[in-house]
Amino acid sequence: MKVLRDTWLVYSRAMKLNLKQPVWLIVMLVQPIYFLFLFAPLLEPMDGMPGFENGAMETFVPGLIIMMALFGSAFVGFGLIAELRQGVIERMRVTPVSRVALMLGRTLSTVTTTVFQSLALVLLAALTGKLDVYWPGVALMLLIVMLTAFMLAAVSLGLAIVLKSEDAMAPVINTLVQPIMLISGIMLPMVMAPAWLQNVADFNPFYYAVQASRELFAGNLESSYVWQAPVILGALTILLVWWATRKFARAVA
């Protein structure tokens, strides 16, 4: 019970900080909006082509949401580095707060903001009149988004504890995120890629997140990606949250 209470306290503090300075949340939504209105129209002639059987917008928007979760969560560690520099983490060493809660509360706040951003993006896309939204599928898709955000936020916070410098963390995050994004089929379905690149994508967990999101968005609940994605992402989330929690515990020991 103490862990749950402490997690709620850390989560509440993180959410209040987000609401006081919402610029970062807005900025992370602006880039997907650019893609939605300036890039998605280029895909409309591809309706019905391989990879776009469910429609161009119905294929592109779920990938765009995963991209937002990918970038939005991967960079949350920069805020922690600022707190390390200001001595916030140092002061927490003398408090009875659970060390696990320090990481979980921050991670859950990132998941919450990512879900709200995802819903905002779906609503904006629906307002264009070019998107058919299957809302039960969107609700299930948000579970995939939550797992993605939770895992990446934990990794980002763990890296922040290890690196303790924005100058070191920025290239590390970019080096990891860029290839993951490119071979996940976020921008264009991987069915359009050469065979060797499709084989590489099979080892990318975010490829399954993108595919599952697209199938759920279209209402194809029987697709194998629908169960493969949560299994793969869930296993990775457990492993990486364990790693990040250990780093937090040592930092405030």
Side-chain angles (χ1 to χ4, degrees):
M1 291 300 294
K2 183 180 186 301
V3 173
L4 293 177
R5 184 195 63 189
D6 291 349
T7 299
W8 171 254
L9 291 173
V10 176
Y11 170 82
S12 300
R13 174 182 177 273
M15 289 302 298
K16 287 177 182 177
L17 290 175
N18 288 338
L19 292 174
K20 286 181 179 179
Q21 297 180 336
V23 176
W24 177 251
L25 305 179
I26 296 171
V27 168
M28 291 309 300
L29 186 58
V30 166
Q31 186 180 24
I33 290 174
Y34 287 157
F35 279 104
L36 179 64
F37 289 102
L38 302 180
F39 181 79
L42 302 178
L43 303 177
E44 291 179 10
M46 297 184 180
D47 268 345
M49 293 178 62
F52 292 94
E53 292 86 355
N54 297 322
M57 288 290 284
E58 289 78 6
T59 299
F60 183 64
V61 170
L64 200 56
I65 290 172
I66 296 297
M67 185 184 77
M68 186 168 60
L70 191 67
F71 281 93
S73 304
F75 287 91
V76 297
F78 286 92
L80 180 60
I81 292 175
E83 291 191 349
L84 285 167
R85 187 178 297 109
Q86 295 164 5
V88 174
I89 303 300
E90 186 71 23
R91 291 194 292 272
M92 286 182 177
R93 290 183 177 183
V94 298
T95 67
V97 66
S98 166
R99 285 13 182 179
V100 175
L102 290 174
M103 195 280 297
L104 289 180
R106 286 175 169 81
T107 305
L108 288 172
S109 72
T110 300
V111 172
T112 302
T113 55
T114 302
V115 168
F116 279 108
Q117 289 171 325
S118 300
L119 286 172
L121 189 61
V122 172
L123 290 173
L124 284 172
L127 289 175
T128 64
K130 300 177 181 178
L131 179 70
D132 292 327
V133 181
Y134 178 67
W135 289 108
V138 171
L140 293 172
M141 181 192 70
L142 288 177
L143 297 177
I144 303 295
V145 173
M146 291 168 68
L147 271 177
T148 302
F150 197 96
M151 176 177 62
L152 288 170
V155 171
S156 182
L157 293 170
L159 285 174
I161 288 290
V162 173
L163 299 174
K164 298 181 177 64
S165 167
E166 293 94 342
D167 292 336
M169 189 166 174
V172 170
I173 293 294
N174 281 319
T175 300
L176 292 174
V177 170
Q178 291 292 344
I180 286 174
M181 184 193 75
L182 292 172
I183 58 174
S184 63
I186 283 176
M187 304 304 295
L188 294 171
M190 290 305 297
V191 70
M192 303 177 69
W196 69 268
L197 196 55
Q198 295 182 36
N199 292 333
V200 173
D202 288 338
F203 295 94
N204 181 3
F206 298 99
Y207 166 71
Y208 295 90
V210 172
Q211 292 298 109
S213 296
R214 285 174 174 155
E215 298 293 348
L216 289 169
F217 203 88
N220 300 327
L221 305 183
E222 72 283 356
S223 171
S224 60
Y225 290 113
V226 171
W227 66 263
Q228 288 174 344
V231 169
I232 294 171
L233 292 174
L236 279 174
T237 298
I238 292 171
L239 177 63
L240 293 171
V241 167
W242 171 81
W243 170 78
T245 301
R246 283 176 58 87
K247 294 302 177 183
F248 249 90
R250 290 179 182 177
V252 297

